[in-house]
Amino acid sequence: MASQRGESVAPAATPAKKRKGLDKSHYLYIAVIVAVIAGALVGLLFPEAAKSLKPLGDGFIKLIKMMIGPVIFCTIVLGIGSIAKAATVGKVGGLALIYFMVMSTFALAIGLVVGNLIHPGAGLNLAPYDPNKKVAVDSTVDFLLGIIPGDIPVLPTLLAAILVGFALQKMGPQGAPILKAVGYGQALVFRILIMIMWLAPVGAFGAIASVVGATGVQAIFSMFTLMAAFYITCALFIVVILGGLLKVVAGVNIFRLMKYLAREYLLIFSTSSSEAALPRLIAKMEHLGVSKPVVGVTVPTGYSFNLDGTAIYLTMASLFVANAMGTPLDLGAQISLLIFMIIASKGAAGVTGAGLATLAAGLQAHAPQLLGGVGMIVGIDRFMSEARALTNFTGNAVATVLIGTWVKEIDGGRVDRVLAGAEPFDEETMIAGHGPAREPQAEPAPAAPAYA
């Protein structure tokens, strides 16, 4: 909806173009849902035949693994660049970055706590993934899987990306062309990742069918438990954590703010993308009474560095996979995984499949034998995408109000009037608030809408 509402010329042509894009996304969404249901039915009705479908899921996971290194490298290099850019804005940028790091770390920790309380995936005891193990498969299947390139080690890639990012910072203006080239490389990598995600229905069908065929109805209950726990955790995080902060710091009721953003929530729910509502959030935060400089720095930076819903998802999904594979992570492994996700999750914004690649990267770096369980996440990932997107969006809206309050760049009286409905939002304010507010995100901007 960004282009549709951001332009005042030719309104008839633009909506038609956007609807076409939404149709493609919905086709993939529907295809994944159908594939998951079909895979579960095949697994229940024809368990032996379902087990032979495992290569479909394995092939999709290999494709995701192939992209882990490039995704991590590009996003971390550009992320460090955007941190430097935000920090140069001064007090607002520095405060925003500190807040984002604290909140995303807190969200990751909450995911670990909830995961350890409910033990999602426990009892499935799926076979651990061994990339060197030769299994008895059809020669044609073996040939096709062998075509997919091997993965690139994650931790060395992460270290190299951090070093390159800081080196580019030190180069100053000389490093700008290189950073721009990395941006183009990121666009290419994400375009390939989007193409791969169109195979998600095939991968989900094979993975779910083989898992249900091997474990029966218990797999379905385990996946449902994870989804339900994730939705409840996101809801509690929004109401209790974000709502509590908002009330204590700014004196604003979280439910009144959510009512004010109701139209954006509908847009996010229909697209599974918090990115789709970015221009409207900028305009609405300015209309609410937060100053343009604060909104212009906080919102775009938050879309890359304040992904609370994605953070909760990454840690809960990691524990689910570990439990499902019968190799639960000890406390030390969970802490190291938490530290990795704090860094790597900054590259999980903006593109379909990036969150899944980040999850696979974390598992590959800390417990490669768990990668086989990612196939189950592929099947239910889309069902959790709305909660991720809504939580990410709410977190950035709350952050904008909080930072505006801390730096005294918010009109409290206007906030009360707007939330009370005395000064309703006018769509024409989109034109005034859209352009300059997006400048801070110009270089690290994502290549396509995300559902994460």
Side-chain angles (χ1 to χ4, degrees):
M1 294 290 178
S3 60
Q4 175 183 343
R5 304 189 187 282
E7 300 178 14
S8 58
V9 182
T14 307
K17 181 178 179 182
K18 196 61 184 176
R19 279 197 298 268
K20 182 178 179 181
L22 291 177
D23 287 341
K24 290 182 179 180
S25 175
H26 288 171
Y27 286 145
L28 178 59
Y29 198 169
I30 293 170
V32 170
I33 293 174
V34 171
V36 169
I37 296 173
L41 290 175
V42 170
L44 290 174
L45 299 176
F46 311 101
E48 293 304 318
K51 294 177 186 178
S52 65
L53 297 174
K54 191 174 184 294
L56 293 177
D58 291 344
F60 181 77
I61 296 304
K62 285 194 68 176
L63 288 171
I64 293 292
K65 284 177 58 184
M66 177 183 72
M67 301 306 299
I68 289 175
V71 166
I72 292 295
F73 181 83
C74 292
T75 50
I76 294 301
V77 170
L78 292 176
I80 291 175
S82 67
I83 287 179
K85 191 167 187 178
T88 60
V89 178
K91 183 178 180 180
V92 173
L95 185 60
L97 290 172
I98 293 173
Y99 172 81
F100 293 154
M101 290 300 296
V102 171
M103 286 306 295
S104 58
T105 303
F106 188 66
L108 287 164
I110 287 177
L112 285 181
V113 171
V114 175
N116 280 288
L117 289 176
I118 65 173
H119 301 290
L124 291 181
N125 295 320
L126 304 180
Y129 173 80
D130 184 359
N132 300 315
K133 182 180 179 180
K134 294 294 182 181
V135 295
V137 296
D138 184 87
S139 59
T140 303
V141 173
D142 192 45
F143 170 76
L144 292 175
L145 291 178
I147 293 176
I148 305 174
D151 54 276
I152 301 173
V154 174
L155 292 179
T157 302
L158 184 64
L159 176 61
I162 293 173
L163 293 176
V164 170
F166 283 113
L168 288 174
Q169 280 190 28
K170 294 296 183 181
M171 290 177 66
Q174 289 182 324
I178 302 175
L179 199 63
K180 187 174 182 180
V182 175
Y184 285 125
Q186 183 195 49
L188 174 62
V189 168
F190 281 169
R191 177 54 56 187
I192 296 172
L193 189 60
I194 291 170
M195 293 165 59
I196 291 174
M197 288 308 297
W198 279 94
L199 296 176
V202 178
F205 174 76
I208 297 299
S210 61
V211 169
V212 175
T215 62
V217 73
Q218 184 179 0
I220 299 175
F221 284 132
S222 294
M223 289 185 287
F224 179 80
T225 299
L226 174 63
M227 290 188 292
F230 177 68
Y231 269 82
I232 293 172
T233 303
C234 286
L236 291 176
F237 181 84
I238 290 174
V239 174
V240 178
I241 306 301
L242 295 180
L245 270 174
L246 190 63
K247 188 65 177 178
V248 171
V249 174
V252 176
N253 185 289
I254 185 68
F255 294 107
R256 295 179 69 193
L257 181 64
M258 293 174 70
K259 181 181 178 182
Y260 173 62
L261 300 172
R263 189 165 181 178
E264 286 66 45
Y265 283 123
L266 290 175
L267 175 61
I268 293 169
F269 190 82
S270 65
T271 61
S272 297
S273 170
S274 57
E275 289 279 333
L278 173 58
R280 293 186 60 84
L281 179 60
I282 291 173
K284 280 205 163 182
M285 288 295 101
E286 291 179 1
H287 176 74
L288 184 65
V290 185
S291 69
K292 273 181 177 289
V294 171
V295 175
V297 173
T298 305
V299 175
T301 307
Y303 263 70
S304 291
F305 292 92
N306 190 39
L307 304 171
D308 299 329
T310 303
I312 296 171
Y313 161 81
L314 287 172
T315 46
M316 289 187 68
S318 298
L319 292 182
F320 172 81
V321 171
N323 291 329
M325 303 300 287
T327 54
L329 300 174
D330 58 28
L331 182 60
Q334 290 184 27
I335 293 175
S336 62
L337 181 65
L338 176 68
I339 295 172
F340 176 88
M341 291 298 187
I342 290 172
I343 301 173
S345 63
K346 306 312 172 191
V351 176
T352 297
L356 194 63
T358 304
L359 172 64
L363 293 176
Q364 181 182 346
H366 293 82
Q369 72 275 13
L370 300 180
L371 278 173
V374 176
M376 291 186 67
I377 299 297
V378 174
I380 60 176
D381 180 81
R382 277 282 181 168
F383 294 100
M384 297 189 286
S385 60
E386 285 87 359
R388 283 203 306 268
L390 292 172
T391 306
N392 292 340
F393 178 81
T394 306
N396 286 312
V398 170
T400 306
V401 176
L402 292 178
I403 292 171
T405 303
W406 284 326
V407 299
K408 296 179 173 59
E409 292 285 340
I410 187 172
D411 185 341
R414 183 177 176 86
V415 170
D416 292 335
R417 293 193 303 273
V418 170
L419 295 184
E423 295 186 23
F425 177 74
D426 184 355
E427 295 294 333
E428 291 299 319
T429 59
M430 287 288 298
I431 300 173
H434 177 62
R438 285 185 61 85
E439 287 181 6
Q441 202 187 7
E443 288 180 358
Y451 64 80

